Amino acid sequence: MNSDATACGPTGWLPPYAPAEPAGREAVLNSILHALPIGVCWQRGADGENCWCNESFSRLTNRDWTGMTAIDSLAETLHPEDQPAYGAALTQLRVGATEQCDLELRCQVGDEIWWRRFLLQANRSPEGRITDLLLTVTDISERKQHQEEMRAALAGAEALNEQIELAIGRAQEAAVDANLASLSKSQFLATMSHEIRTPMNGIIGMTDLLLETPLNREQRDFADTIRVSGEALLTIINDILDFSKIESGKLELEEADFFLRDCVEGALDLMAARAREKQLDVLYEIADGTPAMVRGDVTRLRQILLNLVGNALKFTPKGEVVVRIEPEVGGIVAPGLMGFHVSVRDTGIGITPEGQSRLFQSFSQVDASTTRKYGGTGLGLAISKKLAELMGGRMWVESEVGQGSIFHFTVTLATRPGSARPNVAVARALLSGRRVLLVEDNDTSRRNLAELISRWGMEPLAVGSEEEALAALKTGRNFDIAILDAQLPGTDGVQLARQVNQHRSGPPLPLLLLAAPGQRVPEGVTATCVAKPLKAVALFEALAAAFGRPSEATVPIMPVAKASATVQTTKLLLAEDNLVNQKVAVNLLKNIGYQTEVVANGLEVLAAVERQTYDIIFLDMQMPEMDGLEAARRLVELYPRPEQRPWMIALTANAMQGDRELCLDAGMDDYITKPIKKVELATAIERGRAVIAGRTVMS
């Protein structure tokens, strides 16, 4: 910069150590300006009497401007389509129409396009004559690329939404068609369910995958909005279909034997991710004297629990949600029949008396205003109440504003002989007398866990903090194992795990970490993770494994260190005709560590099985040429013995009454409804792998 360039502004802002003489000040100013990552170009006068550019300006525009009037010549470096916009902005400045122009333009560099932001400013004399022009340039190529990717994702979501509207339109047209008279209402609802759920699987599945990629804050907000909206739409669809079946008298309850504990744990598993997002504890209690095995409709009982626990999580900003099951007072209804009382307690915002009067009305909500905070159709509780009544019970609520709520319902179920899992006698034989250090900050969870392991004959010392745990260890008291919550206030269970064995002189103490699903033990810590919400069977298996004892395991626990290697050797085949759903399933499987082959129908499944052996096959129920049900029947015919054929998991968008039975009757081993969730997919695969592993051991 020549000496005239000092006219760009006062020098009083220079650092206090800057030289006093003009040449020294100019050198300091030059070094500062050249070090800036932002390109700067200064031009004396409107016609470029003097022009100076820093190094970043030359780099960002890909040209050496020595001896050139950069501001006037910059258009030569721009994409031909953007040159007129720059010329028009420069003209506006010179005629006085504006004092500043902010432009996002493309620089043409060979075959490459660079996006740049140009900020052009004019300074004027009191008479209005331009004294100098200042042009700054910044690189916005990455932001533009992310915007384009988000635009493409939104366009894809809109296209899928159009498919939903088209499917609804087709269903409406079918409703007025004369042939509809020959179809039963259940068939029509199944068609509606399939037509709507298929594109919904694409919307929700692809959005979940998008959220697992690197996104900036704005893009993540957009994608999360799509996900939340898709799940809200799916909830509405499910509620309307259920409500329609109940109102038309088409809903029939199933009868099957099941363990109460498994039903509750299955419902809480589905709520675990939402609870983890809000940092809430979700717990359950089963009172002494409650039969372990019952007979009834496990799907509908789980649906009631999901509605009530989901509502509790929605309206609880902090604290806990606790499910309790106990025999109803005077519970023996008839020989072999018992009434059960179920409560779902939360520490949420509570409900006013006026709100309670509207709770169980169809399409009604506590807050009926159009600006209500929490949203929803108002059908969930109405459906739950009707389901409880269909199962011979009732539903009611107790609540106080600011003090939380307790939703109660009763059902009548047939009792069946069967002991709780794990069997208490077996558990005592394996674990009796073992001393346990239990560290859990939640009072309810700590009490329930202490009671559970006490019933197994163990001797727990239950504390609520890291400080209490370390104090107990320093006293020299001997323990056989420690059970640590992975999330403790002020620290975490991993940090405590590192400290536990520092206070022991003997062999290392075995450690169990109560952690979020999928959480892994970090390097340097020897411990076993047990997923929360805690399952009694999973805890028992982990305890038995820690002591190196055989157990009555129904589902073996896979050691964390070996899981990835086992996953890589599992051979999967996916049969799905919809291209979007193929992409969703393949990427979900990839994210949890599995590679899979893809075919488009049942005939291709049979051909693939002839060429290669597969461990697990996913079969879509509705495919052209040969559907999943027929493919399963053919595989059963080809391989009559279960251990000879792959584990078969049904994929269906119907999710209607009897669909599961159709799949099982055809010979399938498991069943997943669309939209496919990663946790449900991983759980189904683990169930299949566990059975396959058991067959291998037996053979």
Side-chain angles (χ1 to χ4, degrees):
M1 182 186 293
N2 60 38
S3 58
D4 290 335
T6 58
C8 68
T11 60
W13 57 272
L14 286 172
Y17 57 80
E21 63 276 17
R25 290 198 302 271
E26 181 175 319
V28 172
L29 181 60
N30 264 302
S31 65
I32 293 173
L33 292 173
H34 280 302
L36 291 175
I38 298 172
V40 178
C41 178
W42 174 86
Q43 182 173 301
R44 166 69 62 84
D47 300 321
E49 301 164 11
N50 289 294
C51 182
W52 179 91
C53 305
N54 71 349
E55 294 173 359
S56 292
F57 189 91
S58 298
R59 175 176 54 80
L60 292 171
T61 56
N62 197 42
R63 177 173 290 190
D64 183 1
W65 296 100
T66 304
M68 301 176 64
T69 54
I71 291 179
D72 290 299
S73 304
L74 181 70
E76 299 170 7
T77 69
L78 299 178
H79 190 282
E81 294 177 2
D82 290 351
Q83 291 176 5
Y86 180 78
L90 195 56
T91 300
Q92 284 186 315
L93 277 177
R94 284 178 168 152
V95 301
T98 184
E99 300 302 322
Q100 178 175 295
C101 296
D102 193 349
L103 307 169
E104 292 186 357
L105 305 174
R106 293 164 291 177
C107 286
Q108 182 82 47
V109 182
D111 294 331
E112 295 184 16
I113 298 296
W114 297 349
W115 276 97
R116 302 290 186 254
R117 179 187 179 191
F118 296 96
L119 186 62
L120 187 58
Q121 304 173 74
N123 294 320
R124 300 180 186 276
S125 66
E127 297 77 27
R129 181 176 59 85
I130 292 179
T131 58
D132 54 88
L133 295 171
L134 181 65
L135 176 62
T136 59
V137 56
T138 52
D139 184 358
I140 59 170
S141 296
E142 186 175 353
R143 175 166 65 83
K144 284 292 185 179
Q145 181 182 352
H146 287 166
Q147 287 177 346
E148 187 59 34
E149 290 171 352
M150 181 54 65
R151 194 177 296 112
L154 290 172
E158 290 171 358
L160 289 170
N161 188 54
E162 290 175 3
Q163 293 181 34
I164 295 175
E165 294 176 353
L166 182 62
I168 293 174
R170 287 201 299 263
Q172 290 172 338
E173 290 171 3
V176 297
D177 193 277
N179 293 331
L180 186 62
S182 63
L183 297 175
S184 68
K185 188 166 184 177
S186 60
Q187 290 174 312
F188 173 68
L189 290 173
T191 301
M192 283 287 293
S193 174
H194 182 271
E195 290 289 340
I196 295 172
R197 282 173 174 268
T198 297
M200 284 303 301
N201 183 56
I203 293 174
I204 295 175
M206 293 304 292
T207 305
D208 284 341
L209 292 170
L210 179 63
L211 284 166
E212 294 184 10
T213 63
L215 300 172
N216 63 32
R217 183 178 299 175
E218 183 181 42
Q219 292 164 343
R220 184 164 296 279
D221 181 60
F222 289 162
D224 196 59
T225 299
I226 297 173
R227 178 187 64 81
V228 172
S229 299
E231 290 180 346
L233 178 58
L234 182 64
T235 299
I236 294 170
I237 292 166
N238 290 339
D239 285 349
I240 290 174
L241 289 171
D242 277 344
F243 188 76
S244 175
K245 287 185 287 185
I246 291 172
E247 290 296 296
S248 64
K250 297 291 184 180
L251 182 66
E252 298 179 1
L253 298 178
E254 298 176 347
E255 292 288 329
D257 293 347
F258 64 94
F259 286 99
L260 267 178
R261 187 181 297 275
D262 290 351
C263 175
V264 178
E265 290 175 347
L268 297 191
D269 275 347
L270 295 176
M271 294 287 107
R274 195 186 307 180
R276 190 162 62 253
E277 287 176 3
K278 299 188 71 173
Q279 296 184 332
L280 298 174
D281 287 308
V282 181
L283 315 165
Y284 74 92
E285 305 171 330
I286 297 182
D288 291 339
T290 305
M293 181 177 283
V294 294
R295 184 173 182 82
D297 193 329
V298 62
T299 302
R300 294 305 178 181
L301 180 58
R302 186 185 297 116
Q303 182 177 355
I304 298 174
L305 288 171
L306 285 171
N307 273 328
L308 295 184
V309 174
N311 250 24
L313 291 173
K314 182 192 297 186
F315 296 103
T316 303
K318 61 180 180 178
E320 64 184 22
V321 175
V322 182
V323 177
R324 179 175 173 81
I325 299 182
E326 59 190 345
E328 194 176 5
V329 176
I332 303 299
V333 176
L337 289 178
M338 177 178 283
F340 293 85
H341 174 213
V342 185
S343 64
V344 178
R345 174 178 60 81
D346 65 61
T347 56
I349 61 176
I351 310 170
T352 64
E354 295 77 15
Q356 293 178 39
S357 66
R358 294 195 299 269
L359 267 181
F360 302 109
Q361 299 175 14
S362 303
F363 302 100
S364 179
Q365 293 180 318
V366 172
D367 180 2
S369 68
T370 57
T371 58
R372 63 184 185 269
K373 177 179 179 181
Y374 296 99
T377 62
L379 279 177
L381 289 177
I383 291 171
S384 297
K385 183 173 184 291
K386 288 182 178 293
L387 289 175
E389 291 169 352
L390 284 172
M391 290 193 280
R394 62 191 182 99
M395 182 174 288
W396 70 100
V397 65
E398 298 174 0
S399 184
E400 185 177 341
V401 175
Q403 301 300 315
S405 306
I406 307 177
F407 280 82
H408 303 265
F409 71 94
T410 60
V411 292
T412 299
L413 301 169
T415 57
R416 285 290 183 266
S419 61
R421 295 183 298 171
N423 184 283
V424 173
V426 174
R428 281 182 171 273
L430 290 172
L431 305 174
S432 183
R434 300 285 186 173
R435 296 177 295 275
V436 183
L437 175 61
L438 170 60
V439 188
E440 165 64 77
D441 64 296
N442 182 280
D443 293 339
T444 305
S445 178
R446 186 169 65 251
R447 184 186 68 249
N448 291 348
L449 193 50
E451 290 176 357
L452 176 64
I453 61 179
S454 294
R455 284 200 295 271
W456 296 342
M458 305 186 82
E459 301 173 8
L461 173 63
V463 298
S465 68
E466 175 190 21
E467 292 77 11
E468 293 176 279
L470 294 177
L473 289 167
K474 290 176 182 177
T475 62
R477 181 170 177 176
N478 289 325
F479 296 99
D480 298 300
I481 195 167
I483 303 175
L484 314 176
D485 185 9
Q487 297 295 328
L488 293 170
T491 181
D492 58 43
V494 173
Q495 182 62 33
L496 178 57
R498 291 191 174 99
Q499 299 181 61
V500 163
N501 284 308
Q502 296 176 4
H503 299 281
R504 287 176 57 86
S505 56
L509 187 66
L511 303 176
L512 300 186
L513 275 180
L514 309 182
Q519 183 172 337
R520 294 292 183 254
V521 180
E523 292 184 7
V525 176
T526 303
T528 299
C529 281
V530 183
K532 298 177 70 174
L534 191 63
K535 298 182 179 67
V537 170
L539 177 62
F540 172 67
E541 295 297 338
L543 288 168
F547 296 126
R549 305 284 294 279
S551 70
E552 58 163 11
T554 55
V555 180
I557 292 179
M558 301 299 296
V560 172
K562 298 181 181 178
S564 59
T566 308
V567 165
Q568 292 171 5
T569 62
T570 303
K571 296 178 182 178
L572 306 183
L573 178 66
L574 169 68
E576 167 65 71
D577 63 302
N578 184 282
L579 293 178
V580 173
N581 288 343
Q582 283 182 6
K583 186 182 293 185
V584 169
V586 167
N587 280 281
L588 285 174
L589 288 165
K590 182 178 179 181
N591 281 3
I592 57 179
Y594 296 94
Q595 299 296 323
T596 185
E597 296 182 28
V598 181
V599 295
N601 58 56
L603 291 176
E604 295 181 12
V605 169
L606 299 179
V609 171
E610 287 183 4
R611 295 191 305 268
Q612 182 178 335
T613 300
Y614 295 94
D615 298 304
I616 298 174
I617 299 180
F618 295 95
L619 293 168
D620 184 29
M621 282 182 66
Q622 296 194 14
M623 294 183 290
E625 299 188 60
M626 181 185 289
D627 62 24
L629 294 173
E630 182 60 26
R633 296 187 190 102
R634 296 283 187 92
L635 288 171
V636 171
E637 291 175 3
L638 290 170
Y639 307 100
R641 294 171 57 189
E643 63 271 16
Q644 294 177 326
R645 60 177 179 262
W647 184 264
M648 294 184 287
I649 301 176
L651 300 176
T652 177
N654 285 359
M656 299 296 290
Q657 181 82 11
D659 284 342
R660 183 181 184 89
E661 288 65 34
L662 283 174
C663 296
L664 298 180
D665 290 344
M668 296 195 198
D669 303 291
D670 210 339
Y671 173 94
I672 300 177
T673 60
K674 298 176 182 177
I676 301 170
K677 295 290 188 182
K678 185 163 70 173
V679 172
E680 296 173 16
L681 187 63
T683 302
I685 292 175
E686 289 303 312
R687 284 196 294 265
R689 287 177 53 210
V691 174
I692 293 169
R695 291 173 179 171
T696 303
V697 171
M698 291 179 65
S699 62

